[in-house]
Amino acid sequence: MTKQLRLNAFDMNSAMHNSHGLWKHPENKRQDSYKDISYWTDLAKLLEKGKFDAIFFADVVGVYDVYQQSKAPSIKQAMQVPINDPALLVSAMASVTKHLSFAVTVSTTYEHPFSNARRFSTLDHLTNGRVAWNIVTSYLPNAARNFGLEGLIKHDERYDIADDYLDTSYKLWETSWEDDAIVNDRQADVYIDPDKVHEINHEGPYFKVEGPHLSEPSLQRTPVLFQAGTSARGRDFAAKHAECIFVGGPTPAKVKELVADLKTRVEAHGRKREDVLIFSFLSVIVAESKVDAEQKLEEYNQHWSSLAAKAQFGASGYDIAEFEDKDPDDIFSYDKPTEGGHYKAATLTKDNAKALTVGEALKRFDGITNQVIVGDPDHVAAEIQTLFTESDVDGFNLNHFVTPSDLEDFVSLVVPKLQASGIYKQDYAEGTFRKKLFPHLGNKLPDTHRAKSFKHEQALS
Amino acid sequence: MTKQLRLNAFDMNSAMHNSHGLWKHPENKRQDSYKDISYWTDLAKLLEKGKFDAIFFADVVGVYDVYQQSKAPSIKQAMQVPINDPALLVSAMASVTKHLSFAVTVSTTYEHPFSNARRFSTLDHLTNGRVAWNIVTSYLPNAARNFGLEGLIKHDERYDIADDYLDTSYKLWETSWEDDAIVNDRQADVYIDPDKVHEINHEGPYFKVEGPHLSEPSLQRTPVLFQAGTSARGRDFAAKHAECIFVGGPTPAKVKELVADLKTRVEAHGRKREDVLIFSFLSVIVAESKVDAEQKLEEYNQHWSSLAAKAQFGASGYDIAEFEDKDPDDIFSYDKPTEGGHYKAATLTKDNAKALTVGEALKRFDGITNQVIVGDPDHVAAEIQTLFTESDVDGFNLNHFVTPSDLEDFVSLVVPKLQASGIYKQDYAEGTFRKKLFPHLGNKLPDTHRAKSFKHEQALS
């Protein structure tokens, strides 16, 4: 069978996600409607109609304030602010769908693993196993200061914390309740057998948790684990824990290199290559005809905001204001490691110094992402297939610029072409999100995953 | 106009709430269905049909393990374990209702105020202002050990933390975003005016938060505030912060005393008596005829579990196992203050020592609560009216034993009688939860509330 393409809608519970300046576009309903349940339930129905695997909710818990060392640029452009909690959307969206899954971002730096584990178990119950956790360690300095810290915890230590966090979570999800703990024995007047419910008594370098877990086992137990590490430490973390890895790169060839590197790291952790799926980023501007699509792009570009783009670039840890007047060759000598950076924790190189200049990485919508495909449905579907093959990924997180129209157009125009080509499902498989992604595994993590290395503690009674 | 009765359904996102042993009752669907969205959306529709003001979600983040110093009794009886996160139910329930409101319990001891504020703002947006926060400081020792502590923080310090927590929250909700911050100015290419979004720069004894708040202002800004303090410190906290106070007492006269005390304390904080509503606890067993109702009670009692009741009594901080063989007069001499106790942080007195004996407070369903009314619809409605008048409360949190049948019977049999008597609404008023509860106030907290004493910080830009 042809390798099947996976698609997630890349989103955020915010007024604007990656749509720099497009609150000005007359067709954009987003900034007015993201606060309404009906926006999200309608979107869920649309995505299920388009056979999307999941909606992937990115999240931040601070305001971007690296550019010009100010929060004002982000706020002026509503660049990922305001932003509401994504987990709270899930039950409404799940109630109007049967197959669409939900990947929710939560930071291991600012939420406690005990309550986080209960939240994901609750969602896994309510959705019948359609939930994933996108694990982040958070890169925004303001987020750190919102949670009582002086500034960002250093990059590698954030991953050390995340490792301990994951181990705590695995013990709660995988070892605390045995499968047959609920005995429902009326004769003996025992609903749950206390011998089959276990404290975890976790004592790690960062977390100390007694347990037991408060939720009974859900279909998946551990939610499907997403991660987007790009630094060496981040990639190693992803290879150790994640089942779906989100990567980016300037060209399909670079993405392919990253995929190969990640798969090697996955095997180094004793895991199988086929137990991990890799997703990259995709933007599409589609219309019935090439001319219409190009006109749409032109309209988007008219509303484009360089201020929003520069504010978001602060995620790299670099303040682009320091480079705006400089020649890239001068920037090369600028040597400043970024601890907080999302993309890397490394010294500035000539390549990314050039990318920092407004003329290159911060182009308008035709150049803002690694790949933006513009054209009629046949062209778009063909380009997606090429990208899919050349980058060797398993699927894409599909961006939107103007919503809901971008996604409506994608579902009505592109999805049928992808289906006709044989690389995209005509209908969903049955079962949980993990079972849909990994039919050879089923509902639960495989034995080769670290989560399965923990044994339960002695019985309570 | 006759004083109007308010009703909240008292619930929990758990297999069993206060239904000791009733997982064995053949009509109880609860333990199998609390994990399903449809259970909660059906319940929401039922409560809206019955014109309930709100569903009140209690919560705990640990297992009761005071009785016999063991978790086994609670677990055997599913006594508030397993228990899932209640906040995650709200969007689904809100999507099928228009007026029902949602009071969600969150502990100020274990969740960070920054993420908590965003969660409540998110829910207030999604529900169009139908959200309340039940503020608790948490009394279970296991909860403390689930969040990395050695044991419970002392009772009064928990309230000191809660005071700082509330001040942090008020600054985020009330002062961070001005009403007219969103200017949507296409000409100037400014969606939000950064001069009208403010950091909070809170530095209290327990919390340090930079801000700004991540959510734009919701209809209520601060959710309606519920609290259930019974100790002197707890009552003072409630009088300072809460808009709805949940009280308990052994007789209507005792409840009336508490109501008077609370109203006096409210005034001492510069607030108006009419800006606070008091709720007490109510259990009803109703059927078409007296005989049927009494038979239903008898059935419930057949399944009653003393083990579950004793486990729950651990909330007092006392291990009833130490008293089970003793004469109440001997118990009187037992002098042991409880720091963690839910009901009080005081020395054991003769009254509550007696209550500790199985024969008294831990009676079966006919005696387990302060007030349980058993009978036909006319009798139940009349008794509710008497209780309402004699205890001088504004409404009740209605308990259930077997669900959904107890609530179905209440809505079909009792609600029409209460409506006919003129003390209960025929239909909802329009607007937010706060406006429904306090028509003289509207959507926002009044100026006499502490939340309004904070001014915004200087502008960002």
Side-chain angles (χ1 to χ4, degrees), chain A residues 24 34 71 186 216, chain B residues 24 34 145 186 199 216:
Chain A
K24 297 189 295 296
Y34 79 99
K71 296 179 176 75
R186 285 148 191 264
E216 59 182 285
Chain B
K24 298 188 295 296
Y34 79 98
R145 296 192 299 268
R186 285 148 192 266
E199 292 174 357
E216 59 182 286

Side-chain angles (χ1 to χ4, degrees), chain A residues 11-14 56-61 83-91 93 102-106 123, chain B residues 88 91 118 122 126:
Chain A
D11 215 316
M12 205 171 214
N13 189 3
S14 58
F56 179 107
F57 283 109
D59 192 25
V60 288
V61 287
I83 180 163
N84 289 335
D85 188 301
L88 298 166
L89 299 171
V90 173
S91 70
M93 297 176 84
F102 306 90
V104 178
T105 296
V106 176
L123 291 178
Chain B
L88 298 166
S91 71
R118 187 171 72 139
T122 303
L126 293 175

